[in-house]
Amino acid sequence: MIDALGRNIEYMRISVTDRCNMRCMYCMPHEGVVWRPHEEMLSYDEIVRLCKIFAALGISKIKLTGGEPLVRKNLSSLVKRIKSLDGIENVTLTTNGLFLAQQLDALSDAGLDAVNISVDTFDEDVFQKITGASGVQKIREAINKALTFENIRVKVNCVPLKGINDDSLAELALLAKDHRLSVRFIEMMPIGLGRQFEAFKEDELKTLLEKQFGPMTYFNGKLGNGPCRYYTVEGFRGKIGFISAVSHRFCDKCNRIRLTSEGFLKTCLQYNEGSDLKALLRSGKDDEEIKMCIRDTIFHKPEGHHFGQTFDAQCSKTEEHKMFQIGG
């Protein structure tokens, strides 16, 4: 699908649940939240139907997210159904890794193409501070097991937080030295609880890592579906990447949309605008009527976000939901 600015929208992130087995300080209050009732979430049948419609419109890449997607039962069955749709080339998953090891065989059999494992530190004390949970060893085991599947690409995602996990960043980057994976550092987005934290900017983090590992050379190739900028480091099997939506704004090249677990189509992370596709599904609209709504919504995708600019504070359309409610 092509929007009004000529961007090719081919990639959709689908949140399958708002539930999570962690309470990451920048995502969800440690004291917990009131979950949406199950009946308000899209069923697997509804997700598959929408994916079929989106595929007919040009979406070819699907990322399943949450909350934590693996807390939803039988996720591998959803992966298999989506991967079997005409036009869908790529189905991937983002997970915190706690439930991943025991589900990898089923996910691989279902056709999963790649997994992104989110972990901000391997220091158990710091991990518990950030997530409100324990389980560093489980995540290490999940990473190691994922690397045994030749058909699944592995990436490790880290959110650098000044004054919190500074001492863990180089250790995480070292995963790319001996393994065929990429370690990506994701700049904190000022959404929900994320507004409370000071983020590392890409340039300062790159400088910090180069002091330890030597020069990083920009990799002018394609390694995924999104906007990550990758670098090679001498002696590393894998690559180091940066996703820096604020300090290195990439809105002009944005190729993604988001579908929340409640069936709301979002075309930009910052704004609360979009379309309630669940309402269309459950009111009996046919596929053509839903297609018309999707086309119109995507055509009017905003030019870009305004994070960090005066406009942000003044904008009445700024998203107020937290990341677990939107889909990470």
Side-chain angles (χ1 to χ4, degrees):
M1 279 176 285
I2 306 298
D3 70 5
L5 299 174
R7 294 171 294 193
N8 181 25
I9 311 304
E10 59 178 355
Y11 171 34
M12 181 165 64
R13 299 174 67 93
I14 301 175
S15 172
V16 298
T17 182
D18 64 342
R19 288 157 171 73
C20 190
N21 51 349
M22 290 186 183
R23 299 290 181 271
C24 293
M25 57 171 58
Y26 48 79
C27 181
M28 188 183 299
H30 275 220
E31 64 272 18
V33 297
V34 177
W35 304 120
R36 295 289 187 185
H38 285 288
E39 59 269 21
E40 292 186 13
M41 304 293 162
L42 290 178
S43 69
Y44 283 178
D45 286 344
E46 289 172 325
I47 292 174
V48 171
R49 181 183 170 193
L50 287 176
C51 285
K52 185 176 181 180
I53 294 171
F54 276 104
L57 291 169
I59 294 293
S60 59
K61 303 172 179 66
I62 301 290
K63 169 84 72 184
L64 299 178
T65 73
E68 167 50 43
L70 293 179
V71 304
R72 188 156 177 183
K73 293 181 179 179
N74 301 316
L75 189 74
S76 61
S77 67
L78 179 64
V79 171
K80 184 174 183 178
R81 294 175 67 184
I82 295 174
K83 189 68 185 290
S84 69
L85 296 174
D86 289 341
I88 298 298
E89 301 171 357
N90 200 271
V91 179
T92 62
L93 172 73
T94 290
T95 172
N96 61 38
L98 288 183
F99 293 163
L100 179 60
Q102 61 265 43
Q103 297 190 43
L104 268 168
D105 291 290
L107 290 166
S108 175
D109 291 344
L112 187 72
D113 293 289
V115 61
N116 295 353
I117 302 169
S118 299
V119 57
D120 298 331
T121 180
F122 284 141
D123 182 303
E124 185 67 47
D125 292 336
V126 178
F127 182 84
Q128 290 186 26
K129 178 181 179 181
I130 293 173
T131 68
S134 59
V136 164
Q137 187 56 36
K138 286 185 178 180
I139 296 171
R140 284 186 178 276
E141 291 169 0
I143 292 171
N144 290 334
K145 183 171 181 178
L147 288 167
T148 67
F149 290 84
E150 293 294 332
N151 58 316
I152 297 178
R153 299 185 306 278
V154 181
K155 298 174 184 176
V156 172
N157 291 344
C158 168
V159 178
L161 303 164
K162 285 191 176 180
I164 298 175
N165 64 346
D166 311 51
D167 295 337
S168 299
L169 305 179
E171 181 184 9
L172 287 167
L174 274 173
L175 287 171
K177 185 175 190 296
D178 299 318
H179 301 293
R180 55 170 187 87
L181 56 73
S182 297
V183 176
R184 292 114 57 84
F185 295 98
I186 302 176
E187 189 175 78
M188 174 65 71
M189 297 288 285
I191 286 280
L193 297 174
R195 296 189 182 103
Q196 303 173 18
F197 298 93
E198 184 179 2
F200 274 96
K201 304 301 183 187
E202 178 177 325
D203 293 344
E204 60 181 323
L205 181 53
K206 180 172 175 286
T207 298
L208 183 153
L209 294 175
E210 285 186 319
K211 286 181 180 178
Q212 183 134 357
F213 303 124
M216 300 171 67
T217 304
Y218 178 67
F219 175 72
N220 189 22
K222 188 73 171 173
L223 285 179
N225 301 326
C228 188
R229 293 156 51 90
Y230 289 97
Y231 291 82
T232 59
V233 180
E234 186 174 355
F236 277 49
R237 289 183 64 189
K239 293 180 173 56
I240 303 296
F242 300 93
I243 302 175
S244 310
V246 179
S247 63
H248 288 69
R249 194 169 179 265
F250 44 75
C251 299
D252 61 324
K253 301 179 183 67
C254 184
N255 65 341
R256 72 177 61 184
I257 52 177
R258 295 171 183 263
L259 184 67
T260 72
S261 58
E262 296 176 271
F264 190 79
L265 175 61
K266 286 177 61 67
T267 55
C268 179
L269 182 62
Q270 181 174 19
Y271 304 112
N272 59 20
E273 294 181 304
S275 296
D276 187 351
L277 301 185
K278 181 181 69 179
L280 299 182
L281 288 171
R282 296 186 182 180
S283 64
K285 301 298 184 185
D286 63 29
D287 289 3
E288 287 305 315
E289 291 173 296
I290 296 173
K291 279 183 184 179
M292 288 176 60
C293 176
I294 292 171
R295 283 195 192 98
D296 183 66
T297 303
I298 291 178
F299 186 78
H300 292 99
K301 179 178 167 70
E303 180 179 357
H305 68 70
H306 294 81
F307 289 124
Q309 301 178 28
T310 304
F311 177 77
D312 180 20
Q314 299 174 343
C315 181
S316 62
K317 297 176 181 177
T318 296
E319 180 62 79
E320 293 300 326
H321 285 92
K322 297 177 174 61
M323 281 302 293
F324 71 92
Q325 296 168 312
I326 299 169

